[in-house]
Amino acid sequence: MTLRNTLLCGLIAATTFSVSALAGEPLWRGDFETGDLSQWSPTLDTLAGATDRLVVVGDPVREGRHALRATVKHGDLNNNGARAEVVLRELEFREGDDRWFHWYTMFPADFVASPSWALLTQWHSHGFGVPVGFNLHGESLSFRVMGHQYDGAGQYDVGTLWKAPLERGRWNEYLLHVKFSENPNVGFVELWFNGAPVVPKTTHATLDPGSSVYLKMGLYRDRAITWDQSVYHDGMTVYADDPRVSDPNFGSPTTPFGNSNALDSSVLPGEPG
C-alpha cells in the first residue's frame, strides 16, 4: 500500500464523509432502479394478495429514479407478524463474511409514530433472531446487535449501540460495516449516519451459533398499532470492501464532507452490549 493510500484510509476512518456517489463494483444492488422488485427475492414478506404494501415509486427518491415505499395497515399479518418487507435470500451472510451496506431511509412528513416498536432494516437469522437491526421506538431510531438474545435475558436495551431522534420528510443516509461471526471477539460493527461516524469499530457477536443471516428491508411493527404507516427506502447496495476508498472523487468538491443532503445526527448514547 502506498503512503498516499495509507493516509487516505486513516482520514476515512477519522472523519465524516459523503457517499452520494459510491464507486467500486458492488456485490449486489437492491436500489429499485429496475423500476420493480426484481433485484430482491421473488417471495415478499407482506400481506398475501396486497398490491399496495411494497411499491416502487418515482417520488420521493434519494438517488436515481426509483425508491421503495413500504406500508403496513392494521390487520396485516404474514409470517405471524405485521410486516411489509423485501427479502434477499440469494446472498446470505455467513461466518467470516466482511461486508459494507449503504442505503437511505425516509419517514414521510405525516408519519405518526407509536410508543411501541418497529424494525426498518434487519439481518435475520434462520430462527427467530435479528442479530443486526435498525429499529424505531416512539420518536427514537436505534441500531442494535443481538437484541433477541438480550431480550431473552430481560436486558431490553443492552446491545443498543446508537440512538438518534426520528426526523420526518428528509432522507437519512447509512453506511454499515459488519464482520459476521458468532464469536464475540471476531465479529464487529461500524456505523456512519448522514456522513458522521456514530458507532466506532465495536467487537460483538453478529451471528447466532451455527447460523447465517439474510437481509430484509421495509417495515415490520407491533401488530397492536392500529393506523397505517409507510416508510421509504432507497439505494441499498452491498460491497465487499469500503466503497469510499475506491471513489476517486472522495473528499473533492463534487462529494464534499457533509453534503447538503446529509443531516447532522444528534446522537444519543446507546448502551453497548
Side-chain angles (χ1 to χ4, degrees):
M1 178 178 288
T2 67
L3 176 60
R4 179 180 181 276
N5 286 340
T6 300
L7 292 173
L8 177 61
C9 290
L11 285 170
I12 287 171
T15 111
T16 61
F17 75 102
S18 166
V19 285
S20 57
L22 293 176
E25 288 299 320
L27 293 175
W28 175 82
R29 287 190 187 276
D31 56 8
F32 312 105
E33 288 306 300
T34 55
D36 55 27
L37 302 175
S38 61
Q39 296 164 306
W40 298 78
S41 299
T43 301
L44 304 174
D45 206 348
T46 188
L47 181 69
T51 59
D52 62 345
R53 303 305 200 268
L54 293 167
V55 180
V56 175
V57 299
D59 182 53
V61 299
R62 174 55 178 81
E63 65 175 20
R65 297 183 298 170
H66 300 98
L68 173 72
R69 184 184 70 226
T71 300
V72 178
K73 301 183 179 183
H74 183 52
D76 285 2
L77 284 178
N78 192 64
N79 284 339
N80 200 35
R83 65 180 83 229
E85 297 174 298
V86 288
V87 183
L88 177 62
R89 287 281 195 174
E90 289 73 21
L91 180 63
E92 295 199 357
F93 306 102
R94 306 178 186 279
E95 179 71 36
D97 284 348
D98 192 318
R99 298 291 182 260
W100 294 75
F101 304 86
H102 176 244
W103 76 99
Y104 307 91
T105 296
M106 186 180 78
F107 295 86
D110 60 355
F111 182 85
V112 179
S114 162
S116 191
W117 60 269
L119 266 167
L120 309 169
T121 305
Q122 58 170 312
W123 287 257
H124 200 287
S125 71
H126 287 277
F128 293 100
V130 180
V132 180
F134 287 82
N135 311 281
L136 175 68
H137 289 83
E139 294 287 327
S140 180
L141 298 170
S142 64
F143 170 59
R144 196 178 186 203
V145 291
M146 305 306 290
H148 58 293
Q149 290 189 357
Y150 290 119
D151 287 351
Q155 299 172 307
Y156 296 107
D157 199 42
V158 179
T160 300
L161 302 179
W162 165 80
K163 293 181 181 180
L166 171 64
E167 297 194 58
R168 295 166 175 82
R170 301 180 70 181
W171 289 100
N172 285 322
E173 182 176 23
Y174 297 84
L175 179 65
L176 174 68
H177 181 201
V178 185
K179 178 65 175 275
F180 290 99
S181 179
E182 65 183 63
N183 187 330
N185 298 312
V186 174
F188 64 80
V189 295
E190 299 178 273
L191 176 64
W192 292 257
F193 179 69
N194 292 324
V198 294
V199 178
K201 184 177 179 180
T202 303
T203 56
H204 200 292
T206 52
L207 289 176
D208 284 330
S211 183
S212 57
V213 293
Y214 57 95
L215 175 62
K216 304 181 75 178
M217 171 177 275
L219 178 61
Y220 169 41
R221 70 182 195 180
D222 187 344
R223 67 176 68 184
I225 299 172
T226 58
W227 56 91
D228 298 356
Q229 291 177 316
S230 294
V231 178
Y232 294 90
H233 298 283
D234 199 359
M236 174 59 81
T237 310
V238 182
Y239 297 88
D241 301 296
D242 186 343
R244 300 165 299 169
V245 174
S246 56
D247 181 356
N249 294 317
F250 177 75
S252 75
T254 58
T255 56
F257 294 167
N259 70 80
S260 60
N261 290 314
L263 302 176
D264 292 331
S265 59
S266 301
V267 181
L268 306 176
E271 181 179 2

